Amino acid sequence: MSTSSRRSQGLKYQRGNSLHSDGRSYTESSQSRVRPVTYNDAYTYALRVAFLSHLLQPRARRKEYVAAPPTHKNRASTSINDMMKDFSLVRDAKSTRFPRGFIEELEKRLTGVLQGKEKHPEYSDPLIKRTFAAFFNSLTEQHFKKRMKEDRRVEDLILIFFSNATKELQKEQQKEIQKGKPPGDEWVKLMTDRHVALFVRLILLVLKANDWMREKPELVARLQNLETKLLAHDEDLADEGGKKQVEVIAPISYEVKDMPLVQVVSRIFGVTNAQAQSDINKNKSVWTDKAALQDLKTYQAHLNLNSNRTLIAEDFDLEESYEAWRKNETPDLSQMMLAIVQANPDLAKSTPGASLPQFNTHTNGSHPSEPGVPEPARKSSLNSDEGSSYVIDQPVDMSSLNLEDDSINKDAGAENIYTFIPSDPRAYYRFILLQALNYDLNDSSLQPSSPSDDAPSIKLLSRQSSEMLNELCLRWRIPMFSRMVLFLDVIREKFVEQGISLDTLDSAFNFVKAPPLENKRSSQAGPIFVFTDRNRWTIADFTLMQQLLSALHEALLRELYDAMLHSYDSKPSPLMSSVLYVLEHHVRDDPGFSENRDELSRFQAQVTDGLAQKARDMYSDFVDKEIPQESESWEFYHLVQLGKSVLKLVEKIQKRFKRNPEVMGIDPVIVLLDCTLPVYAQDARNMVEQILEYAHQTGQEIPIEDGFDLYRELVEIRLKHANSLPDVPFAFHVESLLADFVWRWIRRTDEQIVGWVEQAVKQDGFKVRSAAQQIPTEDERHSDSVIDVFRSFNQVIDQIAQLNWDDDFQYAKFMTALSKSIGTALARYCELIEQMFGKEMDRMTPEQEAALNQTRQEKWMQLAKDAWSNRERIEPFQFFPESFVKLNNIAFAIHQWDKLEHEMNVDALADVVSRNMPPITQKQRRTNNYVFTIKVVEAEDLKACDMNGLSDPYVVLTDEYQKRLSKTRVIYSNLNPRWDDTVDITTQGPLNIIATIWDWDNFGDHDYVGRTSLKLDPSHFGDFLPREYWLDLDTQGRLLLRVSMEGERDDIQFYFGKAFRTLKRTERDMTRKITDKLSAYINHCLSRRALKQLLSRGISISTMSNFLNRNRPPTTNAPPTDADVQNALQPLFTYFNDNFAIMNQTLTSEAMIMVMTRLWKEVLQTIETLLVPPLSDKPSQQRPLNQQELDIVFKWLQSLFDFFHAVDDETGEVGGVPQTVLKSPKYHEIQTLNFFYFDTTDNLIRTSERMASATVQRQQASKNRLSAPPSFGGATNLMALPSTRRAKSIMLSRNLGTMRKAKEEKWKEAQADPNDDMILRILRMRPEAARYLRDRSRQKERLAAAAAAEMIVKQSLMQGSGGRMAGTLGRR
């Protein structure tokens, strides 16, 4: 391509800017239009071309068959080898090879011939079947067949057939001679030619049936020529009854009924056949083939002269384009001239020149239906190739033909000099094309094309109209690109006039871009290349293409505007996708289209305004449909339905435009949202305010669920609003307007939730949930009530969580209120379970029930009999499975409560409240409710109430109105009991509590031991530090109470911690009730009496169960062996195993370990009591053990450790309490007694002084960590000193994590901060250390007072400056 251009430098498509014509002729730059195209002129020129097409029909189509006299058969003088030279002399051997797969198809056709299935009658002769069968045998031979497939040489097939046919015919000749009927000398040769010709014809039939003739045109031509030569001296092959026929040339008909294209012109222009016949008869002397030849010669001359009668270089943008067009034009003209001469050889005689080419006129030709006849010359499609539609049947020598007319005036004027070519071919062609399209579109008999996956059913031009238009283009020399542009321009006009649909417009573009399937096989450059390579176009065509694209763009935008206005309808316009497809693929993507930004902006603004009005109208319709006219009738339901209607429409439109959200830069969804959501938000605020105001005035209460439904709807709409319109704020704060509904729901839940718990407990049978006769799994060992309770708790929380409340502070306040209600319900559950559990555990044994009916004398007699009978075995307590299920329920509740705390993210909720709460004034800071935690620790020197000189004490706490607050467990046979029982008491002011100690008896009333009282005044606990009180009883002895206080506050952590501590205390108390049933026997087996009896040889362990034998004098024997020591505990082990077997059937593994751990603590406490007296400042009357007794006690401790650890000897698996739990601080304290037990008093005092001095130094070094032991001073009044023990407050024991951390810190403190408590307890058994005990007690009191004072100062400085741990607000 040249780099130069007359109007552009290097830009291919910047052309036509100076042209202002609209649809002008392509020669307008060099030729002026004489006059506009009239209807009659267009008809006349179309009729001329149609008539000329009839005159130039190929001769093969004008032949007819007539009877002929028989002729004498003569053998052709040319041998078969001479005939086959046409194949051997071909330069391109590939062009004459048969296609791949041909052999298989030939086999099928030969099989049909042999089986008599061939439809052509000439193959039915038996002799022909014999020769074909001989060839078929050779063909099926594998070696020959393989060679044929590889070489694909048709001459080899023909020669092999010739050889087989000759042999078979010679055999037939011999047979006839033997019969006396000699066929003649030339018979074999003639019949061989005939059979070979039939074989060649069969090859052509196979090629035609498989559509291979177009791929192998040269092979077909050679085969047709060979067939003609073979039959040159033969008669017709389909000889029947002796009738012979020959072909003769039929005369040309001048009747319109024999002229198909003339009839097409008549129909298009609405002219009758008679009128057309009259016009032809009038002008047939002028409209001759000679005149057509003269037109071509004149056109050729003007082309050579670069005259304005043809396209000239100025009509093209690039010189190369003009040269390319001219180069293709010259051979086409030559071919058309030769075709005219071939149709009328007489014209060659009148043509000047040395000699004319010789044409094969098929005088001996075949029938047109036979494969030997060439394909029709004319192409019947708008998309035919740029080359000539005429094909010369046989090769000719064109060198002697003069194609120029010497008589042409090179300076001809502007008048029309052609017979068949109009003055403005482009305008005439467009006019006729429009007429043809109008006629075909209105023709009801014209059937549309069949729809396919790529194209819908269309109805454009008929085949006859296409042939006629193609003939016009061929005669008028209209290039292919001009034809396409003019066709699209006519389509544009019809579309703008709404004469065709969008599908037809799309099909028209596809029609010019992608030709039909039958035209795609052309070997020349197809229409696709012509349409896309616009460098070859004329300037007029390119300009017209730009103009029609612009006009189509404007028309399509109008269509798109109308379609988009239906975007919000229930059924959108189906045209939108079609319009967009045509716009994008045929208009906007076309290189000739230049987009106008201003036009696009105006379109977008108009569509946006139209859509906005549609959206407002639809919203108004929703309001009219969903909202009543009278405001007094408004309900939340109406507003919810209005919101649902809006959201439903939005979701439908979003789904509709999901794949293509924007249409020409317009987002219908955003327009809809922008016009509906802000308006709905404003209407919602006004309606909600009016509904609430009206309800308040009339005293009505709006249902809570209506408020929740409205909130969910408003939140969903607000989310859509925020996502779609981020810069537009929502009209109001939804949470502030509807928060009262949540508070109402919380208050209603608070009123009902305790009832839910009571109903769940009432309906629970407390049975394991396994099938009968099956061992329950771990998950089946709790009953339904705890599941129902926590299911209701979760449903309550989910009800708020599922609202997705968007105000974190309000949400945290909601959850705080709910946690208080749930905690209260959980405390009620624990209370009910513990009451039922206590009744079951405190029930009488069968012996006790029988003793109720005995007299006092009978009771004493039964006791004496039991002692005399020397019982060795004590039956285990008959626990109810329901009791263990209750314990499992509490353990399950603990884990569920801890899980609930993590799911709610309690710490984050508390942090949100603390960060958003307004500053608290001093008046607001005052607490109205106080929680006192009272721990009944121990008692000393109690009064003996039993015959054995001991008591079975327990403590009852009551208020000043004799209302029972708490009751401790029973400590059997002990005057210095230790309970460690805790109770929480909530009060709003000072409260007097009374502690009464009772002695538990099996028979009759319980005995009174002593009483004391204590005033709980919140003003004395302003520092919130725990205090210890030694309270003297009114009889003898004293009681130690540890009291701490914390203000009850509206805090979710506090409520969760309070409920959790209630659960843990319930679990601990229930576990203690279980272990208390075993503790009496533990104390009996690990008592000093049992130790004394073990050292008395000859007395079995059975005497340990006989309480009346305690005064029998011991006998002196040898020290007991290790086996004796071990066997002394065997009854206790058996007793444990019997009880554990009962527990293991129902208790979970976790609860089982918990019970065993508690029993282990009882064992350690019993052994500690056996070794040393309790901690006090007074000397004790307890006798220290000797070395032998001490060794036995520690052997017992090791045996019990192994028993509770329960290690399998074979597997080494631990089946009991983990070692880390068994080796508790108490266990290590007992182990330290070995170091100090037999040390001198002076050494013990010095050791104690060193430890006390180290404690003081640690307190001074670590001001913020105080660990002095509780005071054991001998105060006889209610004065108490603050304790520096770590207080087990609600906040520090609110979940499993905080409790686990507290235990770890306690163990670390015990290991890092040893004290001298054990040494002081040993010194109590040394009378000479009484003075030191008093001095050490005063020293501890002073240290505790100093530490407490420092703690008070620190707390006052830190008050109000702390904060909770920050966290992220979690939602369930």
Side-chain angles (χ1 to χ4, degrees):
M1 181 180 294
S2 172
T3 58
S4 63
S5 173
R6 294 177 177 85
R7 279 166 290 279
S8 62
Q9 293 295 330
L11 297 177
K12 297 181 180 180
Y13 302 121
Q14 294 182 0
R15 49 171 75 105
N17 295 331
S18 61
L19 296 177
H20 302 285
S21 61
D22 184 5
R24 297 180 182 177
S25 171
Y26 60 85
T27 60
E28 194 166 355
S29 60
S30 57
Q31 174 181 340
S32 62
R33 178 179 293 176
V34 177
R35 59 179 178 174
V37 179
T38 64
Y39 191 88
N40 186 63
D41 290 344
Y43 159 72
T44 301
Y45 275 100
L47 186 64
R48 296 181 189 187
V49 175
F51 178 66
L52 177 62
S53 174
H54 174 70
L55 294 178
L56 299 181
Q57 285 294 323
R59 294 191 178 189
R61 297 188 179 183
R62 298 199 302 271
K63 293 179 181 179
E64 60 183 16
Y65 292 96
V66 297
T71 57
H72 179 70
K73 300 177 182 178
N74 291 320
R75 171 72 173 94
S77 60
T78 306
S79 66
I80 187 66
N81 292 327
D82 295 335
M83 294 182 182
M84 297 302 296
K85 287 182 180 179
D86 289 342
F87 292 93
S88 60
L89 295 178
V90 176
R91 288 176 297 176
D92 185 6
K94 293 183 180 180
S95 61
T96 58
R97 291 183 181 180
F98 51 78
R100 298 187 185 276
F102 173 79
I103 295 297
E104 289 77 5
E105 297 298 326
L106 180 63
E107 281 188 32
K108 295 179 183 178
R109 203 64 182 252
L110 288 172
T111 303
V113 171
L114 298 179
Q115 294 177 353
K117 297 180 180 180
E118 180 60 48
K119 61 181 180 179
H120 291 79
E122 57 266 27
Y123 292 97
S124 60
D125 185 84
L127 184 58
I128 291 177
K129 290 183 180 181
R130 284 175 55 189
T131 56
F132 273 63
F135 171 74
F136 184 79
N137 293 333
S138 300
L139 180 63
T140 54
E141 197 271 323
Q142 294 299 324
H143 178 71
F144 176 74
K145 187 175 182 179
K146 181 178 180 182
R147 183 167 62 85
M148 288 295 101
K149 288 183 179 180
E150 292 176 354
D151 298 341
R152 296 189 290 121
R153 290 164 50 88
V154 70
E155 56 267 31
D156 293 344
L157 285 175
I158 296 173
L159 291 175
I160 292 298
F161 182 87
F162 175 81
S163 175
N164 284 278
T166 302
K167 293 179 183 178
E168 292 297 325
L169 291 172
Q170 288 176 352
K171 293 179 182 178
E172 183 66 22
Q173 184 183 29
Q174 293 298 325
K175 291 180 181 179
E176 295 295 329
I177 293 174
Q178 293 176 1
K179 294 179 181 179
K181 299 179 181 181
D185 297 338
E186 299 294 327
W187 182 84
V188 173
K189 297 180 181 180
L190 291 173
M191 292 304 295
T192 301
D193 290 349
R194 169 179 288 204
H195 285 212
V196 173
L198 286 175
F199 179 69
V200 173
R201 181 176 293 181
L202 187 67
I203 293 175
L204 288 170
L205 289 173
V206 172
L207 293 174
K208 183 177 181 181
N210 292 274
D211 201 18
W212 285 328
M213 299 187 74
R214 297 188 182 188
E215 296 181 5
K216 300 290 183 178
E218 189 166 351
L219 174 63
V220 172
R222 301 299 176 185
L223 290 173
Q224 291 174 347
N225 189 29
L226 176 61
E227 181 189 7
T228 303
K229 290 179 181 180
L230 289 170
L231 298 178
H233 302 285
D234 199 355
E235 298 175 359
D236 186 69
L237 292 175
D239 182 13
E240 297 182 2
K243 294 181 180 180
K244 304 295 183 179
Q245 293 180 340
V246 296
E247 292 181 348
V248 296
I249 299 177
I252 297 177
S253 173
Y254 289 95
E255 299 292 331
V256 172
K257 63 182 179 65
D258 298 327
M259 305 177 186
L261 290 186
V262 172
Q263 296 177 24
V264 172
V265 173
S266 299
R267 289 195 298 270
I268 289 175
F269 284 93
V271 177
T272 62
N273 288 344
Q275 180 64 39
Q277 185 70 60
S278 175
D279 294 337
I280 290 175
N281 293 337
K282 186 187 302 182
N283 297 286
K284 66 180 180 179
S285 60
V286 180
W287 299 347
T288 62
D289 47 5
K290 182 177 180 181
L293 181 62
Q294 184 62 38
D295 281 357
L296 293 176
K297 295 166 68 177
T298 303
Y299 182 86
Q300 176 72 43
H302 284 287
L303 179 65
N304 295 335
L305 295 173
N306 198 17
S307 169
N308 58 5
R309 294 290 182 173
T310 65
L311 290 176
I312 60 177
E314 284 74 12
D315 294 327
F316 293 87
D317 189 33
L318 300 175
E319 185 70 29
E320 291 85 346
S321 302
Y322 170 71
E323 294 298 335
W325 170 80
R326 184 175 179 179
K327 181 179 180 181
N328 292 330
E329 193 74 359
T330 300
D332 284 354
L333 290 173
S334 300
Q335 190 173 9
M336 290 175 64
M337 292 179 190
L338 291 176
I340 294 175
V341 174
Q342 182 181 8
N344 187 2
D346 294 337
L347 294 176
K349 299 176 181 179
S350 61
T351 302
S355 62
L356 292 177
Q358 301 295 324
F359 299 102
N360 293 322
T361 58
H362 294 284
T363 54
N364 298 327
S366 305
H367 191 275
S369 64
E370 297 298 331
V373 180
E375 290 283 334
R378 289 168 173 78
K379 309 296 181 182
S380 60
S381 169
L382 178 68
N383 290 307
S384 60
D385 298 334
E386 286 191 56
S388 173
S389 297
Y390 291 93
V391 178
I392 304 302
D393 291 343
Q394 297 295 336
V396 296
D397 184 9
M398 298 183 294
S399 59
S400 61
L401 180 62
N402 185 6
L403 298 179
E404 297 195 15
D405 189 357
D406 297 333
S407 63
I408 293 178
N409 185 3
K410 297 182 181 180
D411 297 325
E415 68 278 359
N416 190 15
I417 61 175
Y418 301 109
T419 302
F420 293 95
I421 304 176
S423 58
D424 189 354
R426 182 188 180 93
Y428 274 80
Y429 176 76
R430 187 188 183 284
F431 187 93
I432 298 172
L433 174 61
L434 179 60
Q435 297 300 318
L437 185 62
N438 287 334
Y439 177 82
D440 288 341
L441 290 176
N442 296 324
D443 187 5
S444 59
S445 63
L446 177 62
Q447 298 296 325
S449 64
S450 300
S452 64
D453 295 337
D454 300 329
S457 176
I458 62 170
K459 183 179 179 181
L460 281 173
L461 295 172
S462 64
R463 180 180 61 82
Q464 295 84 357
S465 298
S466 298
E467 290 180 357
M468 186 268 295
L469 293 171
N470 186 67
E471 194 71 25
L472 294 176
C473 293
L474 187 69
R475 284 293 155 195
W476 297 349
R477 305 313 302 152
I478 298 177
M480 177 59 70
F481 45 79
S482 297
R483 304 181 203 180
M484 294 179 177
V485 174
L486 292 172
F487 174 74
L488 290 179
D489 188 47
V490 170
I491 292 293
R492 183 268 312 163
E493 179 178 337
K494 296 299 295 181
F495 179 75
V496 171
E497 296 175 353
Q498 299 183 351
I500 58 176
S501 64
L502 273 170
D503 290 338
T504 304
L505 177 62
D506 175 50
S507 302
F509 272 98
N510 293 330
F511 189 64
V512 299
K513 291 180 180 179
L517 181 63
E518 59 267 22
N519 294 329
K520 290 183 180 179
R521 296 179 179 271
S522 176
S523 60
Q524 301 180 14
I528 298 179
F529 178 75
V530 174
F531 188 77
T532 55
D533 187 12
R534 300 192 182 182
N535 293 323
R536 298 188 176 189
W537 288 20
T538 63
I539 297 176
D541 288 323
F542 194 88
T543 303
L544 180 59
M545 189 68 182
Q546 288 180 324
Q547 294 170 351
L548 72 89
L549 288 175
S550 178
L552 281 176
H553 185 261
E554 182 179 354
L556 288 171
L557 287 184
R558 288 195 296 269
E559 294 283 343
L560 183 60
Y561 174 83
D562 295 336
M564 289 192 67
L565 289 188
H566 297 281
S567 298
Y568 303 148
D569 295 348
S570 57
K571 290 185 178 180
S573 174
L575 296 178
M576 185 182 301
S577 59
S578 301
V579 173
L580 289 173
Y581 181 84
V582 174
L583 270 174
E584 293 298 328
H585 291 80
H586 299 318
V587 178
R588 299 173 67 88
D589 288 348
D590 194 282
F593 175 75
S594 58
E595 187 174 10
N596 188 331
R597 293 292 180 182
D598 295 336
E599 180 185 5
L600 181 61
S601 299
R602 288 193 300 271
F603 170 77
Q604 292 173 347
Q606 293 173 358
V607 174
T608 302
D609 294 342
L611 288 177
Q613 185 60 44
K614 283 282 187 179
R616 287 190 288 268
D617 293 343
M618 296 201 71
Y619 179 77
S620 299
D621 294 340
F622 290 153
V623 172
D624 295 340
K625 179 181 177 182
E626 304 294 347
I627 307 300
Q629 295 294 329
E630 300 79 11
S631 60
E632 293 78 7
S633 303
W634 288 352
E635 296 179 2
F636 284 175
Y637 171 78
H638 300 135
L639 194 53
V640 170
Q641 292 304 115
L642 178 61
K644 288 184 180 297
S645 298
V646 173
L647 286 181
K648 184 178 179 181
L649 175 63
V650 171
E651 291 172 358
K652 181 173 69 174
I653 302 305
Q654 283 179 331
K655 185 178 180 180
R656 184 175 294 173
F657 292 93
K658 182 178 181 180
R659 292 187 177 180
N660 299 304
E662 288 194 357
V663 179
M664 300 291 291
I666 304 164
D667 191 336
V669 177
I670 295 298
V671 175
L672 176 64
L673 293 172
D674 190 36
C675 295
T676 55
L677 294 190
V679 179
Y680 174 82
Q682 188 67 35
D683 292 345
R685 182 184 66 180
N686 297 334
M687 288 185 63
V688 170
E689 290 176 349
Q690 293 188 41
I691 292 173
L692 293 177
E693 180 65 24
Y694 182 76
H696 178 71
Q697 293 175 359
T698 58
Q700 298 178 358
E701 191 175 71
I702 302 174
I704 295 176
E705 287 302 324
D706 289 355
F708 285 176
D709 292 340
L710 177 61
Y711 178 77
R712 295 187 187 96
E713 195 66 30
L714 290 176
V715 166
E716 188 174 359
I717 290 179
R718 184 173 61 185
L719 181 61
K720 288 278 187 185
H721 188 284
N723 293 336
S724 305
L725 309 172
D727 299 330
V728 180
F730 201 69
F732 65 104
H733 188 245
V734 180
E735 286 72 19
S736 299
L737 204 57
L738 300 178
D740 185 62
F741 288 92
V742 182
W743 287 118
R744 283 173 51 196
W745 185 85
I746 292 174
R747 289 192 294 269
R748 188 180 69 179
T749 301
D750 184 65
E751 296 171 358
Q752 298 175 353
I753 194 167
V754 174
W756 300 345
V757 171
E758 293 174 347
Q759 191 66 22
V761 174
K762 183 178 179 181
Q763 296 178 357
D764 194 1
F766 296 99
K767 304 289 185 181
V768 293
R769 293 175 295 111
S770 63
Q773 307 300 326
Q774 290 186 0
I775 299 176
T777 62
E778 290 290 312
D779 294 334
E780 297 174 342
R781 298 193 177 214
H782 49 268
S783 63
D784 294 329
S785 63
V786 69
I787 298 176
D788 295 340
V789 165
F790 273 92
R791 183 184 295 118
S792 65
F793 291 169
N794 281 278
Q795 289 174 353
V796 165
I797 295 172
D798 288 341
Q799 181 70 25
I800 303 300
Q802 289 173 1
L803 289 176
N804 294 319
W805 203 261
D806 202 28
D807 189 305
D808 288 348
F809 178 61
Q810 289 184 353
Y811 178 80
K813 295 293 289 183
F814 294 156
M815 289 302 172
T816 301
L818 277 181
S819 65
K820 180 180 180 181
S821 301
I822 295 174
T824 302
L826 190 59
R828 178 59 178 163
Y829 182 77
C830 293
E831 180 183 357
L832 294 174
I833 294 296
E834 191 170 12
Q835 288 176 0
M836 298 170 66
F837 184 83
K839 292 179 181 179
E840 294 167 356
M841 299 302 295
D842 295 341
R843 75 185 187 280
M844 294 184 180
T845 62
E847 293 81 2
Q848 292 173 340
E849 292 179 355
L852 290 176
N853 299 324
Q854 294 177 348
T855 64
R856 187 175 183 84
Q857 184 178 0
E858 288 174 342
K859 294 178 182 178
W860 282 108
M861 290 299 295
Q862 184 65 36
L863 186 61
K865 289 180 181 179
D866 292 342
W868 186 260
S869 62
N870 228 0
R871 288 188 181 181
E872 288 190 6
R873 179 177 178 83
I874 297 179
E875 295 296 330
F877 183 79
Q878 295 300 319
F879 296 102
F880 288 160
E882 292 82 356
S883 302
F884 293 144
V885 170
K886 294 180 178 67
L887 181 58
N888 292 339
N889 284 359
I890 297 300
F892 178 79
I894 291 174
H895 287 284
Q896 290 299 309
W897 189 249
D898 189 69
K899 178 182 177 183
L900 186 62
E901 187 205 27
H902 285 84
E903 289 177 350
M904 292 178 62
N905 203 349
V906 169
D907 292 339
L909 291 170
D911 178 67
V912 169
V913 174
S914 66
R915 285 188 284 106
N916 291 275
M917 282 291 288
I920 302 175
T921 62
Q922 189 64 30
K923 184 177 180 180
Q924 293 174 331
R925 196 186 303 273
R926 185 175 301 168
T927 305
N928 295 325
N929 293 331
Y930 303 92
V931 179
F932 283 94
T933 302
I934 302 175
K935 183 173 186 179
V936 182
V937 184
E938 60 181 338
E940 288 184 352
D941 300 330
L942 297 182
K943 181 179 70 173
C945 298
D946 293 337
M947 294 176 58
N948 57 3
L950 300 173
S951 295
D952 303 320
Y954 66 92
V955 180
V956 176
L957 296 180
T958 60
D959 61 8
E960 53 193 359
Y961 304 104
Q962 298 301 314
K963 178 184 178 181
R964 176 181 286 193
L965 302 176
S966 176
K967 173 180 172 293
T968 68
R969 60 196 176 99
V970 178
I971 304 297
Y972 295 97
S973 302
N974 203 322
L975 297 179
N976 299 295
R978 187 178 184 90
W979 292 280
D980 288 329
D981 282 356
T982 306
V983 62
D984 287 339
I985 299 175
T986 302
T987 180
Q988 295 181 350
L991 177 67
N992 292 319
I993 62 169
I994 300 172
T996 305
I997 303 178
W998 299 89
D999 172 60
W1000 183 85
D1001 286 329
N1002 283 328
F1003 314 115
D1005 297 333
H1006 297 184
D1007 298 326
Y1008 177 80
V1009 177
R1011 179 181 287 113
T1012 186
S1013 62
L1014 176 66
K1015 182 179 181 180
L1016 302 178
D1017 191 348
S1019 62
H1020 298 163
F1021 291 84
D1023 54 1
F1024 296 102
L1025 290 177
R1027 286 171 168 75
E1028 293 182 346
Y1029 295 91
W1030 278 104
L1031 305 176
D1032 292 335
L1033 302 177
D1034 57 356
T1035 54
Q1036 74 174 55
R1038 57 182 182 171
L1039 176 66
L1040 176 60
L1041 298 181
R1042 184 176 298 129
V1043 183
S1044 62
M1045 186 199 77
E1046 54 186 324
E1048 185 171 288
R1049 50 188 176 177
D1050 188 23
D1051 185 277
I1052 189 171
Q1053 291 177 320
F1054 177 83
Y1055 293 134
F1056 261 86
K1058 184 177 179 181
F1060 188 83
R1061 191 163 69 172
T1062 301
L1063 284 169
K1064 290 300 292 184
R1065 285 180 178 174
T1066 303
E1067 180 186 53
R1068 181 197 62 197
D1069 293 343
M1070 293 173 67
T1071 305
R1072 278 183 174 177
K1073 288 182 182 296
I1074 294 174
T1075 57
D1076 285 348
K1077 298 300 179 182
L1078 311 179
S1079 60
Y1081 195 57
I1082 294 174
N1083 293 330
H1084 179 64
C1085 293
L1086 300 178
S1087 63
R1088 286 180 175 254
R1089 185 181 301 108
L1091 187 62
K1092 182 178 179 181
Q1093 290 173 352
L1094 178 60
L1095 293 173
S1096 301
R1097 300 293 301 239
I1099 300 176
S1100 66
I1101 195 63
S1102 62
T1103 59
M1104 290 190 294
S1105 63
N1106 189 350
F1107 295 101
L1108 299 178
N1109 292 336
R1110 60 186 181 275
N1111 296 322
R1112 184 176 299 175
T1115 59
T1116 304
N1117 294 293
T1121 63
D1122 292 342
D1124 294 335
V1125 174
Q1126 183 70 25
N1127 290 333
L1129 294 179
Q1130 195 61 41
L1132 181 60
F1133 293 157
T1134 303
Y1135 183 71
F1136 281 158
N1137 287 329
D1138 292 342
N1139 284 279
F1140 290 166
I1142 297 173
M1143 298 176 188
N1144 198 38
Q1145 294 177 0
T1146 308
L1147 285 178
T1148 62
S1149 57
E1150 180 184 3
M1152 191 69 194
I1153 295 297
M1154 181 172 58
V1155 171
M1156 294 177 66
T1157 302
R1158 183 61 201 174
L1159 282 175
W1160 173 248
K1161 291 181 180 179
E1162 291 286 344
V1163 168
L1164 292 179
Q1165 187 174 350
T1166 302
I1167 290 179
E1168 183 185 39
T1169 305
L1170 184 64
L1171 292 173
V1172 292
L1175 187 64
S1176 177
D1177 60 342
K1178 297 179 181 179
S1180 174
Q1181 301 298 323
Q1182 182 174 332
R1183 179 185 62 83
L1185 301 179
N1186 57 35
Q1187 185 65 53
Q1188 188 179 20
E1189 292 172 333
L1190 186 65
D1191 293 341
I1192 292 174
V1193 170
F1194 277 99
K1195 289 179 181 179
W1196 282 353
L1197 179 60
Q1198 184 60 42
S1199 298
L1200 288 165
F1201 182 92
D1202 296 338
F1203 175 81
F1204 278 92
H1205 194 38
V1207 178
D1208 193 308
D1209 295 336
E1210 296 181 358
T1211 63
E1213 182 179 356
V1214 177
V1217 184
Q1219 188 174 0
T1220 55
V1221 177
L1222 293 175
K1223 292 185 176 181
S1224 62
K1226 179 64 68 178
Y1227 176 82
H1228 288 292
E1229 286 180 359
I1230 294 174
Q1231 291 289 346
T1232 59
L1233 288 174
N1234 264 326
F1235 299 100
F1236 305 110
Y1237 203 78
F1238 297 109
D1239 203 353
T1240 63
T1241 302
D1242 294 338
N1243 288 338
L1244 289 176
I1245 292 175
R1246 284 194 293 269
T1247 303
S1248 175
E1249 289 175 345
R1250 286 198 302 270
M1251 288 184 177
S1253 176
T1255 301
V1256 172
Q1257 291 177 1
R1258 281 193 298 272
Q1259 289 178 350
Q1260 293 177 351
S1262 179
K1263 298 290 185 180
N1264 60 343
R1265 189 172 185 180
L1266 306 175
S1267 58
S1271 171
F1272 52 87
T1276 58
N1277 51 23
L1278 297 182
M1279 183 188 68
L1281 289 175
S1283 173
T1284 56
R1285 286 181 179 271
R1286 182 181 298 275
K1288 293 183 179 179
S1289 66
I1290 291 176
M1291 301 301 293
L1292 293 178
S1293 58
R1294 65 179 184 273
N1295 54 41
L1296 292 175
T1298 56
M1299 291 191 65
R1300 191 180 303 111
K1301 187 179 298 184
K1303 285 184 178 180
E1304 293 175 357
E1305 292 182 359
K1306 180 179 178 181
W1307 283 34
K1308 290 180 180 178
E1309 288 179 0
Q1311 294 175 358
D1313 191 14
N1315 55 59
D1316 58 344
D1317 287 354
M1318 279 298 179
I1319 295 178
L1320 296 176
R1321 295 174 72 174
I1322 295 174
L1323 290 175
R1324 286 194 65 196
M1325 296 184 292
R1326 311 282 178 90
E1328 62 273 16
R1331 182 176 178 179
Y1332 176 76
L1333 289 175
R1334 289 192 298 271
D1335 295 341
R1336 181 74 176 101
S1337 175
R1338 296 190 185 100
Q1339 181 186 12
K1340 284 195 172 188
E1341 292 174 1
R1342 290 193 299 270
L1343 291 174
E1350 185 176 358
M1351 182 66 70
I1352 292 173
V1353 173
K1354 285 186 176 181
Q1355 287 189 348
S1356 64
L1357 293 176
M1358 296 175 63
Q1359 188 172 6
S1361 61
R1364 295 182 182 85
M1365 182 181 298
T1368 303
L1369 180 58
R1371 300 295 179 96
R1372 285 166 62 87

